[in-house]
Every structure is written in structure tokens, then in C-alpha cells.
């Protein structure tokens, strides 16, 4: 009789908690999915910020005054073409120390590896 009452008590407790199943904790990890304003997915588990940083560093090496780069974050754009393209605008000083606005584009593969970069 005590065993029956104990079993019913456990069943009632599990029902009150909303589940009568024991969850398996050894399942495969879920894929990370990112919903960002620009729509950039995680590529090779690399976040939008990591991709943007790689792109920024690569573009900076091509500037006359690399330390003057100032990214306009609100204009960050993403396109899925043959590879993944990340576009952004930034200000930078030229060889005459005048600040001008530029557009940069970086291309990434599915693993998040930077394939190319350019700016105008």
C-alpha cells in the first residue's frame, strides 16, 4: 500500500511539473542561429562581430591612415551570393589628412574564412 501511494505521489508530482519524461542530456548540441539586424549567420561558429573584425583589420592594412578608420555600424549589410559578402561604410583619412567616406566589402566562405576584401 505504501509503495502504491509513493508511486502515485511521484506521478502526481511529475504531472504537476508538466512532464512525465526524463530528458536525455546526452543529445547532440544545437546549432547556433543568430538573428541580427544585418542577417549575418554564424559562419563556422564565428559571430557577426568576429567576421566584421576580420574584415576591418584586413581593410585597415590597405588604408593610408589605418588608425583613422571609423565604421558606420548602422549601414552593415549582408548578401548571400556565391560566397557570403559583408558590406559596411566607414570614414578614413586619406594621404592629405582629409576624412572621406568609403564602402568596404569582404567575402567569406561557409567556414567564416576571409577570402577577399576591397573598398572604394
Amino acid at each position: 500500500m505504501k509503495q502504491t501511494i509513493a508511486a502515485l505521489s511521484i506521478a502526481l508530482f511529475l504531472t504537476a511539473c508538466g512532464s512525465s519524461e526524463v530528458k536525455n542530456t546526452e543529445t547532440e548540441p544545437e546549432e547556433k542561429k543568430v538573428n541580427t539586424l544585418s542577417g549575418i549567420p554564424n559562419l563556422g561558429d564565428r559571430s557577426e562581430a568576429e567576421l566584421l573584425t576580420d574584415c576591418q583589420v584586413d581593410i585597415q592594412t590597405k588604408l593610408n591612415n589605418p588608425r583613422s578608420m571609423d565604421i558606420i555600424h548602422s549601414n552593415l549589410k549582408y548578401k548571400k551570393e556565391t560566397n557570403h559578402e559583408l558590406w559596411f561604410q566607414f570614414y578614413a583619412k586619406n594621404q592629405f589628412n582629409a576624412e572621406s567616406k568609403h564602402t568596404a566589402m569582404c567575402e567569406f566562405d561557409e567556414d567564416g574564412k576571409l577570402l577577399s576584401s576591397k573598398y572604394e
Side-chain angles (χ1 to χ4, degrees):
M1 179 76 167
K2 287 184 180 181
Q3 291 176 342
T4 305
I5 293 173
L8 289 174
S9 297
I10 291 172
L12 182 61
F13 175 75
L14 290 174
T15 303
C17 290
S19 175
S20 61
E21 295 180 16
V22 177
K23 293 185 179 181
N24 185 1
T25 58
E26 295 181 22
T27 59
E28 293 183 27
E30 294 181 23
E31 279 188 42
K32 287 185 192 176
K33 292 191 179 179
V34 176
N35 294 325
T36 59
L37 292 176
S38 58
I40 300 171
N42 279 358
L43 301 177
D45 287 335
R46 304 198 59 229
S47 69
E48 177 179 321
E50 291 173 311
L51 297 174
L52 181 60
T53 300
D54 283 356
C55 186
Q56 176 184 348
V57 168
D58 199 62
I59 294 289
Q60 277 181 315
T61 62
K62 300 173 182 178
L63 297 175
N64 289 321
N65 190 347
R67 295 182 68 179
S68 70
M69 180 186 246
D70 183 20
I71 295 177
I72 306 168
H73 290 283
S74 61
N75 290 342
L76 192 62
K77 291 186 174 73
Y78 166 75
K79 284 166 93 176
K80 172 66 173 108
E81 298 291 331
T82 308
N83 289 304
H84 300 268
E85 293 179 0
L86 175 63
W87 293 75
F88 64 90
Q89 292 182 327
F90 65 94
Y91 289 101
K93 292 184 178 179
N94 61 20
Q95 66 270 25
F96 304 111
N97 210 27
E99 193 170 76
S100 58
K101 189 174 182 178
H102 303 276
T103 300
M105 190 280 291
C106 290
E107 190 176 25
F108 295 91
D109 66 8
E110 291 289 330
D111 296 324
K113 180 182 175 191
L114 182 64
L115 299 174
S116 67
S117 69
K118 63 181 179 181
Y119 76 97
E120 300 176 337

